[in-house]
Amino acid sequence: MGNDKKVIFSGIQPSGSLTLGNYLGAIKNWTTLADEYNCYFCIVDMHAITVSKEPKDLRKNTLEVLANYIAAGLNPDKVTLFIQSHVSAHAELGWVLNCLTYYGELGRMTQFKDKSKKQQNSNITAGLFTYPSLMAADILLYQTDLVPVGEDQRQHLELARDIAIRFNNKYSKTFVVPEPYIAKIGAKIMNLQDPTIKMSKSDTNDKSYILLTDDDDEIRRKFKRSVTDSLGIVKLSNDQPGIKNLLGIYSKITGETIESIVERYEGKGYSIFKDDVAEVVVNELRPLRLKREELLKNKDYLQEVFQKGAEKAENTARKTLRKVYKKVGFIPRY
Ligand code: AMP
Ligand code: TRP
């Protein structure tokens, strides 16, 4: 792994099965980066517990995300795949950055506002509030140049940049200031029942999302029932968010341009288009599902991967943390 390569870092929370949104907005893009960059892909279990989690589900989902990473084509010999809680430097840098992040900044995060609205009564944890400073720590520990994420993470990334700049200004240059890396197509896959909001695994209506664990028929059914409009013309328009979303999904998977897809469906009804989108998705997800299921049967292999990943990540993370501790004035133990 050459040191001259630029560094990429990204992560996904192990909170439930992954959606088509996670796959097209994040993982699928990552698979194209492995040769050109020094890549770290993390499973952010510490972020997952910012809202209440059943321990046994968290364990299961963590291994499932790892298996999805590998099944989607991330080769553990080429990229570093690891679990966040295995590298304690994340929590340690997270604390230092908490002390550099302002209350007002955290209060303005739209993800916090959305998630705290969903937590009825007063069960909003301090962890949910300071989630973005832990995310900044994830990124800054590896001197990351680029962070490939979906559109929904842009605001968190802006904050990570602000924190990096603030630290560098206060204590002298320590962190690389990371840039977002957001694809034009597929960066925001929308909810199939309400295409004005993003597809999310935390939605209460299971028809609103496609899970990577859904079988072929479930996928077909969900696309058939997806909400569109009454215009009946397949075209790219902000007034037709349902169709726009389906066009994005189709284009992201096949690589065909939206214009060319629109041309082909001219004069055809929505139901043919929906069925074809479903088939494209079914064919993309089927091999991934089979490979994931096979990997999940081999727990020893998964353990080997995450142990090796944690070792590699730890080496880099420790170096950054040591610098940070020295700069803020902590006395080294040795
Ligand atoms: P999360 O599931 O919130 O941990 O998200 C993991 C990754 O998937 C992040 O890079 C998100 O930006 C991306 N992501 C999540 N939902 C969507 C979506 N509906 N469309 C596109 N990307 C998404
Ligand atoms: N907050 C991200 C999400 O919900 C997950 C995440 C945590 C992350 N740490 C990260 C993404 C670091 C990119 C880089 O999608």
Side-chain angles (χ1 to χ4, degrees):
M1 225 173 264
N3 286 337
D4 47 337
K5 285 184 179 175
K6 286 199 167 194
V7 178
I8 290 244
F9 184 100
S10 199
I12 293 189
Q13 299 184 64
S15 43
S17 293
L18 299 186
T19 67
L20 185 65
N22 296 130
Y23 176 67
L24 296 181
I27 305 176
K28 191 172 165 69
N29 301 322
W30 303 351
T31 58
T32 62
L33 304 168
D35 289 329
E36 203 180 329
Y37 298 93
N38 180 8
C39 296
Y40 295 86
F41 297 119
C42 186
I43 301 153
V44 291
D45 53 350
M46 288 158 65
H47 278 107
I49 62 163
T50 55
V51 296
S52 176
K53 288 277 151 10
E54 249 337 294
K56 77 172 182 343
D57 294 342
L58 183 60
R59 268 189 290 273
K60 177 170 163 277
N61 292 332
T62 300
L63 288 183
E64 234 180 75
V65 175
L66 179 64
N68 271 314
Y69 281 0
I70 303 169
L74 297 173
N75 177 350
D77 295 326
K78 283 192 170 172
V79 299
T80 307
L81 305 179
F82 73 105
I83 299 171
Q84 186 186 29
S85 63
H86 289 175
V87 180
S88 60
H90 289 248
E92 293 165 277
L93 181 62
W95 179 255
V96 174
L97 299 185
N98 257 338
C99 300
L100 231 97
T101 310
Y102 305 134
Y103 182 84
E105 288 174 317
L106 293 170
R108 281 196 291 278
M109 294 292 116
T110 55
Q111 183 171 303
F112 172 71
K113 289 195 247 180
D114 291 347
K115 285 195 177 178
S116 50
K117 244 183 262 157
K118 284 187 193 151
Q119 305 289 300
Q120 280 120 12
N121 52 59
S122 58
N123 295 338
I124 301 161
T125 67
L128 187 65
F129 189 62
T130 63
Y131 177 118
S133 27
L134 179 60
M135 177 161 162
D138 298 342
I139 297 166
L140 301 183
L141 273 176
Y142 299 92
Q143 305 295 352
T144 301
D145 296 287
L146 292 173
V147 186
V149 281
E151 185 61 45
D152 60 328
Q153 295 302 311
R154 191 184 286 278
Q155 196 189 25
H156 285 158
L157 262 167
E158 283 300 324
L159 183 59
R161 286 171 55 84
D162 290 345
I163 297 172
I165 293 168
R166 191 171 303 154
F167 191 101
N168 287 347
N169 285 341
K170 185 165 181 193
Y171 300 104
S172 80
K173 172 113 182 61
T174 311
F175 297 124
V176 168
V177 180
E179 299 279 345
Y181 193 77
I182 299 173
K184 286 202 182 66
I185 296 174
K188 198 163 185 188
I189 304 297
M190 309 309 275
N191 181 306
L192 296 182
Q193 292 297 311
D194 175 0
T196 61
I197 59 174
K198 76 162 183 171
M199 181 182 286
S200 165
K201 54 204 168 199
S202 60
D203 201 281
T204 46
N205 180 352
D206 67 359
K207 287 199 267 324
S208 74
Y209 49 71
I210 303 286
L211 294 180
L212 299 189
T213 47
D214 285 348
D215 65 28
D216 295 355
D217 284 338
E218 266 171 303
I219 296 173
R220 292 187 183 108
R221 256 198 312 276
K222 287 182 182 177
F223 276 107
K224 254 192 211 320
R225 289 188 198 155
S226 67
V227 169
T228 49
D229 55 73
S230 53
L231 272 172
I233 305 164
V234 177
K235 65 173 171 39
L236 187 68
S237 155
N238 287 335
D239 298 333
Q240 294 172 263
I243 293 296
K244 185 179 175 187
N245 187 35
L246 298 184
L247 282 167
I249 292 171
Y250 195 123
S251 166
K252 180 79 192 180
I253 294 178
T254 60
E256 189 177 349
T257 64
I258 303 247
E259 294 76 38
S260 136
I261 303 166
V262 165
E263 213 169 284
R264 228 156 10 86
Y265 285 91
E266 202 189 324
K268 296 186 184 157
Y270 284 172
S271 91
I272 296 176
F273 178 53
K274 282 183 180 179
D275 286 351
D276 289 358
V277 175
E279 246 17 72
V280 162
V281 173
V282 161
N283 288 327
E284 176 83 2
L285 296 189
R286 190 187 297 122
L288 188 99
R289 187 172 66 237
L290 295 175
K291 182 92 205 323
R292 183 190 54 242
E293 280 163 9
E294 191 189 305
L295 283 161
L296 283 169
K297 285 186 207 140
N298 193 346
K299 296 280 188 311
D300 288 347
Y301 172 69
L302 293 178
Q303 175 154 359
E304 212 178 281
V305 169
F306 69 61
Q307 282 180 341
K308 204 173 79 186
E311 235 169 79
K312 278 203 275 178
E314 177 124 58
N315 274 333
T316 310
R318 280 278 141 211
K319 282 190 200 126
T320 303
L321 188 71
R322 210 173 299 128
K323 273 192 221 157
V324 168
Y325 272 18
K326 214 163 139 193
K327 292 206 185 189
V328 301
F330 293 166
I331 291 180
R333 183 165 156 198
Y334 303 106

